[in-house]
Amino acid sequence: MMIKPLKDRVLIKPKELEEKTEGGIYVPDSAREDKLQEGEIVAVGESSEITLKQGDRVLFEDVDCTEMKVNGERHVIMNVKDILAKIE
Amino acid sequence: MMIKPLKDRVLIKPKELEEKTEGGIYVPDSAREDKLQEGEIVAVGESSEITLKQGDRVLFEDVDCTEMKVNGERHVIMNVKDILAKIE
Amino acid sequence: MMIKPLKDRVLIKPKELEEKTEGGIYVPDSAREDKLQEGEIVAVGESSEITLKQGDRVLFEDVDCTEMKVNGERHVIMNVKDILAKIE
Amino acid sequence: MMIKPLKDRVLIKPKELEEKTEGGIYVPDSAREDKLQEGEIVAVGESSEITLKQGDRVLFEDVDCTEMKVNGERHVIMNVKDILAKIE
Amino acid sequence: MMIKPLKDRVLIKPKELEEKTEGGIYVPDSAREDKLQEGEIVAVGESSEITLKQGDRVLFEDVDCTEMKVNGERHVIMNVKDILAKIE
Amino acid sequence: MMIKPLKDRVLIKPKELEEKTEGGIYVPDSAREDKLQEGEIVAVGESSEITLKQGDRVLFEDVDCTEMKVNGERHVIMNVKDILAKIE
Amino acid sequence: MMIKPLKDRVLIKPKELEEKTEGGIYVPDSAREDKLQEGEIVAVGESSEITLKQGDRVLFEDVDCTEMKVNGERHVIMNVKDILAKIE
């Protein structure tokens, strides 16, 4: 049983907050940065606009995305055009 | 006697809230997630944009959709572009 | 003497509220559903976008439509793109 | 000396309110219908979008149109796309 | 030394209010009509959208136009698409 | 060291207010006209939409432009489509 | 480990405020100018719209950009169309 995003959407599993300080990439330290999140692509829609694939690590803002729980874990679904960057 | 959605619209029978905890897919636990709903496609419009078919299970937000009762049961009609994901 | 809608518009004679409970199709039971209405197409504009014809029964929302009386009876005129579904 | 509407615009001479009850077509009876008006096309712009001609009787809403007096009589100028219907 | 409007813009010298009652074309008599103005085209931009020429008399609304003084006289500059009609 | 505007933007050195009364072109005399400014083009972006060149004198509104100091002097950077007219 | 901006976005390392007075290019002196910032391009997205490259110095407004820390240093990510100018 799986979630298949439609059209330009992707399903993302966000990193938990405690993990964020580990890699040194991103440490939020103000209210302004709080909306930024890191996550991993879990599934992608069928649109040819999507160049990301399962397993890619991405940065996105906690805006315009829809939260859901899949098997008890927090996920978000959002339009790929709103993803800011890939972490390589 | 049936409801035939026009153009890009689909008719959906939402799952009742008590059913949502059964499958393990989705358990809403905050106000923010409350707008997310699961449902089953009952009828689709004539638009070629629609790749969903009768019986598909979908996730959608309780926004911009119109509620109606068909033979006493709650249904919603909405544009297919606003459906977030298919459950497979 | 008749009303000829222009371009994408259609003229609809809405069903009176007391009639709505008869067919079993639609029974409004909350404020949210109150804006939904059933009606019959009386006349259509010249646009090729219009696939509905005189006599079709339709569901629409009581928003963005203009009310008028034709020979003493309430009618609405609206853009065909805002009609949600056809009742067959 | 005449007013020549530009592009998609038409010049309309609205019927006075007391005339509206005569023909039986339209009797406003609520605040909501008050914005509906009947009028006669006096002049049309050069756009090929305009299928109406001088002398046509039309229904329009008293919104987004500009009022002016021509030789002491009230007229309105508006975009033809905002005209709801022709009365035939 | 002259003002050359850019793109779709035209430069207009509005008629003074006292002149408006002379020709019989337009007598403003309510707050609503106050925004309507008559003027003469003084210069036009290079856009092929502009079919008006210097000397044409036009009607326009006192909205979205920019006022300036040229050699001490009030002028307005505006987009030609917002000019309502030509007076012939 | 110079500022190179990107795409459709131009860099303008506005005339100081005390200079505005000299040439007789433009004397602001109301709050409404205060937003109008005269300036000289200092640099232009690479867009083919730009028909203005360095040294051209232009009129623009003090809206949607960004102010900056270059070597201690006030400049503004703005989109060329928002420039109203050229002074010749 | 690096941040790869997606589509039309670029990653910028803004100059610290104390550095801004050094080069003589830009000295903010009013609230209005405070939103202007100088920075250096660190990484660019894959869009062919982007003519800037790593190392370019740019001016941008502190609006519509997202702040993040990379290895403890403040960066912003933004759409290239919102960058005002290049400093050469």
Side-chain angles (χ1 to χ4, degrees):
Chain A
M1 200 143 59
M2 50 172 287
I3 305 291
K4 174 80 180 146
L6 293 177
K7 302 193 192 287
D8 292 338
R9 293 178 184 90
V10 296
L11 182 68
I12 299 172
K13 183 170 180 311
K15 260 181 131 162
E16 294 308 315
L17 286 171
E18 56 267 38
E19 297 176 74
K20 283 191 185 167
T21 55
E22 292 176 17
I25 280 276
Y26 166 64
V27 187
D29 64 351
S30 75
R32 192 164 175 196
E33 295 174 13
D34 277 353
K35 58 181 178 175
L36 188 67
Q37 294 200 27
E38 183 183 333
E40 187 180 315
I41 301 286
V42 173
V44 300
E46 70 267 30
S47 167
S48 61
E49 285 291 301
I50 303 179
T51 58
L52 295 165
K53 62 182 187 308
Q54 193 181 346
D56 281 347
R57 288 169 59 205
V58 292
L59 288 172
F60 60 97
E61 283 187 298
D62 190 3
V63 173
D64 291 325
C65 66
T66 303
E67 301 212 8
M68 69 182 72
K69 279 228 171 58
V70 182
N71 297 321
E73 287 183 300
R74 178 173 166 260
H75 284 67
V76 300
I77 196 163
M78 66 188 299
N79 197 305
V80 71
K81 79 172 164 46
D82 295 324
I83 297 182
L84 298 170
K86 187 174 165 185
I87 303 173
E88 294 185 334
Chain B
M1 198 143 61
M2 50 172 288
I3 305 291
K4 174 80 180 147
L6 292 177
K7 303 195 191 286
D8 292 339
R9 294 179 184 89
V10 296
L11 183 68
I12 299 172
K13 183 171 180 313
K15 259 180 130 162
E16 293 309 316
L17 286 172
E18 56 267 38
E19 299 176 73
K20 284 191 185 168
T21 56
E22 292 176 18
I25 280 275
Y26 166 63
V27 187
D29 65 352
S30 74
R32 191 163 174 196
E33 295 175 13
D34 278 353
K35 57 181 176 174
L36 188 67
Q37 294 200 28
E38 183 184 333
E40 187 181 314
I41 301 285
V42 173
V44 300
E46 70 268 31
S47 166
S48 62
E49 286 291 301
I50 303 180
T51 58
L52 296 165
K53 62 182 188 306
Q54 193 182 347
D56 282 347
R57 288 169 58 206
V58 292
L59 288 171
F60 60 96
E61 283 188 299
D62 190 4
V63 173
D64 291 325
C65 67
T66 303
E67 302 213 9
M68 70 181 72
K69 280 226 171 59
V70 181
N71 298 319
E73 287 184 299
R74 178 173 165 261
H75 285 67
V76 300
I77 195 163
M78 66 187 300
N79 197 305
V80 72
K81 80 172 163 47
D82 294 325
I83 297 182
L84 298 170
K86 188 174 165 184
I87 303 173
E88 292 185 333
Chain C
M1 198 142 61
M2 50 173 287
I3 304 291
K4 173 81 181 148
L6 292 178
K7 304 193 191 289
D8 292 338
R9 293 180 184 88
V10 295
L11 183 69
I12 299 172
K13 184 172 179 311
K15 259 181 131 161
E16 294 308 315
L17 287 171
E18 57 267 38
E19 297 176 74
K20 285 191 184 168
T21 55
E22 292 177 18
I25 280 275
Y26 166 63
V27 186
D29 65 352
S30 74
R32 192 164 173 194
E33 295 176 13
D34 277 353
K35 57 181 176 174
L36 189 66
Q37 294 201 28
E38 184 184 333
E40 187 181 315
I41 301 286
V42 173
V44 300
E46 71 267 30
S47 166
S48 61
E49 286 291 300
I50 303 179
T51 58
L52 296 165
K53 63 182 186 306
Q54 192 182 348
D56 282 347
R57 288 168 57 205
V58 292
L59 288 172
F60 59 96
E61 282 188 299
D62 190 4
V63 173
D64 291 325
C65 67
T66 303
E67 301 213 10
M68 70 181 73
K69 281 225 170 60
V70 182
N71 297 319
E73 287 185 299
R74 177 173 166 262
H75 285 67
V76 300
I77 195 162
M78 66 187 301
N79 197 306
V80 71
K81 80 171 164 46
D82 295 324
I83 297 181
L84 298 170
K86 187 173 164 184
I87 303 173
E88 292 185 335
Chain D
M1 200 141 62
M2 50 173 287
I3 305 290
K4 174 82 181 147
L6 291 178
K7 303 192 191 288
D8 292 339
R9 295 180 183 88
V10 295
L11 182 69
I12 299 172
K13 184 171 179 312
K15 258 181 132 162
E16 294 308 316
L17 287 171
E18 57 267 38
E19 297 177 74
K20 284 191 183 167
T21 54
E22 292 178 19
I25 281 275
Y26 166 63
V27 186
D29 64 353
S30 74
R32 193 166 173 192
E33 294 176 13
D34 277 355
K35 58 180 176 174
L36 189 66
Q37 293 201 27
E38 184 184 333
E40 187 181 315
I41 301 286
V42 173
V44 300
E46 70 267 31
S47 167
S48 61
E49 285 292 300
I50 304 178
T51 57
L52 295 165
K53 63 182 187 308
Q54 193 182 346
D56 282 347
R57 288 168 58 203
V58 293
L59 288 171
F60 60 96
E61 283 187 299
D62 190 3
V63 173
D64 292 323
C65 67
T66 303
E67 301 213 9
M68 70 181 74
K69 281 226 170 60
V70 182
N71 296 319
E73 287 184 299
R74 177 174 166 259
H75 285 68
V76 300
I77 195 162
M78 65 187 300
N79 197 305
V80 71
K81 78 171 165 46
D82 295 324
I83 297 181
L84 298 170
K86 187 173 163 185
I87 303 173
E88 293 185 333
Chain E
M1 200 141 64
M2 50 172 285
I3 305 290
K4 174 81 181 146
L6 292 178
K7 303 193 191 288
D8 292 338
R9 294 179 183 89
V10 294
L11 182 70
I12 299 172
K13 184 170 179 312
K15 258 179 133 165
E16 294 308 315
L17 287 170
E18 56 269 38
E19 298 177 74
K20 284 192 183 166
T21 53
E22 292 177 19
I25 280 275
Y26 166 63
V27 186
D29 65 352
S30 75
R32 192 165 173 193
E33 295 175 13
D34 277 354
K35 59 180 176 173
L36 189 66
Q37 294 200 26
E38 184 183 333
E40 187 180 315
I41 302 286
V42 173
V44 300
E46 69 267 31
S47 166
S48 61
E49 285 292 300
I50 304 178
T51 57
L52 295 165
K53 62 182 186 308
Q54 194 181 344
D56 282 347
R57 289 167 59 202
V58 292
L59 288 170
F60 60 96
E61 283 187 298
D62 190 3
V63 173
D64 292 323
C65 67
T66 303
E67 300 213 8
M68 69 181 73
K69 280 227 169 60
V70 181
N71 296 319
E73 288 184 300
R74 178 175 167 258
H75 284 68
V76 300
I77 195 162
M78 65 187 300
N79 197 305
V80 71
K81 78 171 166 45
D82 295 324
I83 297 181
L84 298 170
K86 188 172 163 186
I87 303 173
E88 293 184 334
Chain F
M1 200 141 62
M2 50 172 286
I3 304 290
K4 174 79 181 147
L6 292 177
K7 302 193 192 288
D8 293 338
R9 293 180 184 89
V10 294
L11 182 69
I12 299 172
K13 184 170 179 311
K15 258 180 133 164
E16 295 307 314
L17 287 171
E18 56 268 38
E19 297 177 74
K20 284 191 184 166
T21 53
E22 292 177 18
I25 281 276
Y26 166 63
V27 187
D29 65 351
S30 75
R32 192 164 174 195
E33 295 176 14
D34 277 353
K35 58 180 175 173
L36 188 67
Q37 294 200 26
E38 184 183 334
E40 187 180 316
I41 301 286
V42 172
V44 300
E46 69 267 30
S47 167
S48 62
E49 283 293 300
I50 304 179
T51 57
L52 295 165
K53 63 181 186 308
Q54 193 180 345
D56 282 347
R57 288 168 59 203
V58 292
L59 288 171
F60 60 96
E61 284 187 298
D62 191 3
V63 173
D64 292 324
C65 66
T66 303
E67 300 213 8
M68 69 181 73
K69 280 225 170 61
V70 182
N71 297 320
E73 287 184 299
R74 178 174 166 258
H75 284 69
V76 300
I77 196 162
M78 67 187 298
N79 198 305
V80 72
K81 77 171 167 45
D82 295 324
I83 297 181
L84 298 170
K86 188 174 163 185
I87 303 173
E88 293 184 334
Chain G
M1 200 141 61
M2 50 172 286
I3 304 291
K4 174 80 181 145
L6 292 177
K7 302 193 192 289
D8 292 338
R9 293 179 184 90
V10 295
L11 182 69
I12 299 172
K13 183 170 180 312
K15 258 180 132 163
E16 295 307 315
L17 286 171
E18 56 268 38
E19 297 176 75
K20 284 191 184 166
T21 54
E22 293 176 17
I25 280 276
Y26 165 64
V27 187
D29 64 351
S30 75
R32 192 164 175 196
E33 295 174 13
D34 278 353
K35 58 180 177 174
L36 188 66
Q37 294 200 26
E38 184 183 332
E40 186 181 316
I41 301 287
V42 172
V44 301
E46 69 268 30
S47 167
S48 61
E49 285 292 301
I50 304 180
T51 57
L52 295 165
K53 63 182 185 308
Q54 193 181 345
D56 281 348
R57 288 168 59 203
V58 293
L59 288 171
F60 60 96
E61 283 188 299
D62 190 3
V63 173
D64 292 324
C65 67
T66 303
E67 301 212 8
M68 69 181 73
K69 279 227 171 60
V70 181
N71 296 320
E73 288 184 299
R74 179 175 166 258
H75 284 68
V76 300
I77 196 163
M78 67 188 299
N79 197 306
V80 71
K81 77 171 167 44
D82 295 324
I83 297 181
L84 298 170
K86 188 174 165 185
I87 303 174
E88 294 184 334

